[in-house]
Every structure is written in C-alpha cells, then in structure tokens.
C-alpha cells in the first residue's frame, strides 16, 4: 500500500508509542544523575515514530517491488540497508532470527496436544470428569 492509498482516521497524527514504555527505556539508558523532561520524551517519541514510518515505508516499497503482499523481516533488513542504516542490520538480523526460532518452538508446543495420541472425545471425557470432581469438592465446601 503506497502512502497516497492511505485513508481513514488512522493518520500519522494518531501514531505514537506508549509514553510509560519510552520513559522506562530512557531511564534505563540514561545515567542516574540525568533527568529527561516530558518535552524531550515526547520529542523522542516523535522521532521514533518517524523512524519506524521511514523504515516501514521503505520495506513496503521493497515488498511491492517483489510483488509480495506482506512485509517480512527480510524486507525490513533490506530497508535498513537501502536507507543507510547498515550498522543496525546485524543486530536486527540476530533479533529476527531469534524471533523465528521462538515462533518455531511455540509451534512445536502447540502440536504437543496432537502428539499425545488421545482422541478429542477422550480428552473431552477427561475434562468433564475433572469438572464433575471439582463441582463435588466445591459443593462439599459450601455445606
């Protein structure tokens, strides 16, 4: 989607980052004896939003050139390179690889239930049994 195709109430004026999160990041990065004013924090948020918009726009253009409909991590890395932010590419690539690994691990965990060998009917029967036992315990405590 190109910039001139955007419409509706989600204009750039409404884009922002959570102030508390940015303040926490600022506090972690700054020495203890330095205080950051709210105006400075807000300016930093605006700069971050603009940076994200710049990277996303470039990644979108790269994505469109490849006739893809979804921006992938590879497009973001290519956008960083195209815009002259090569010093960030290695770290972003490492984070991207870690994210992909975590997604793969999460997918493996979600299929764990399927690998139990227990049918859905049996699982439902076991669940109903547990509910019944809990109901009996609860009712006994109420008396």
């Amino acid at each position: 989607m190109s910039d001139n195709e955007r419409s509706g109430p989600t204009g750039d004026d409404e884009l922002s980052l959570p102030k508390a999160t940015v303040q926490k990041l600022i506090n972690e990065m700054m020495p203890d004896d330095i205080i950051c004013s709210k105006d400075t924090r807000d300016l930093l948020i605006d700069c971050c939003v603009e940076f994200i918009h710049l990277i996303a726009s470039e990644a979108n253009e790269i994505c469109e050139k490849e006739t893809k409909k979804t921006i992938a991590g590879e497009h973001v890395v290519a956008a960083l390179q195209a815009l002259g932010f090569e010093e960030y590419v290695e770290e972003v690539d490492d984070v991207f690889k870690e994210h992909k690994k975590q997604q793969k691990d999460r997918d493996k965990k979600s299929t764990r239930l399927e690998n139990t060998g227990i049918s859905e009917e049996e699982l439902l029967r076991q669940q109903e049994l547990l509910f019944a036992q809990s109901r009996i315990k609860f009712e006994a405590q109420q008396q």
Side-chain angles (χ1 to χ4, degrees), residues 50-66:
E50 187 61 32
F51 179 75
I52 292 168
H53 188 264
L54 177 69
I55 300 300
S57 295
E58 183 67 24
N60 186 48
E61 287 181 24
I62 293 168
C63 183
E64 286 178 345
K65 286 177 188 172
E66 295 179 4

Side-chain angles (χ1 to χ4, degrees), residues 30-77:
M30 301 295 280
D32 291 336
D33 60 333
I34 303 289
I35 297 173
C36 182
S37 72
K38 289 180 182 180
D39 289 341
T40 303
R41 180 200 60 206
D42 293 344
L43 177 62
L44 186 57
I45 288 172
D46 291 342
C47 291
C48 291
V49 168
E50 187 61 32
F51 179 75
I52 292 168
H53 188 264
L54 177 69
I55 300 300
S57 295
E58 183 67 24
N60 186 48
E61 287 181 24
I62 293 168
C63 183
E64 286 178 345
K65 286 177 188 172
E66 295 179 4
T67 63
K68 304 281 185 180
K69 292 185 178 185
T70 303
I71 297 173
E74 293 85 3
H75 299 126
V76 174
V77 171

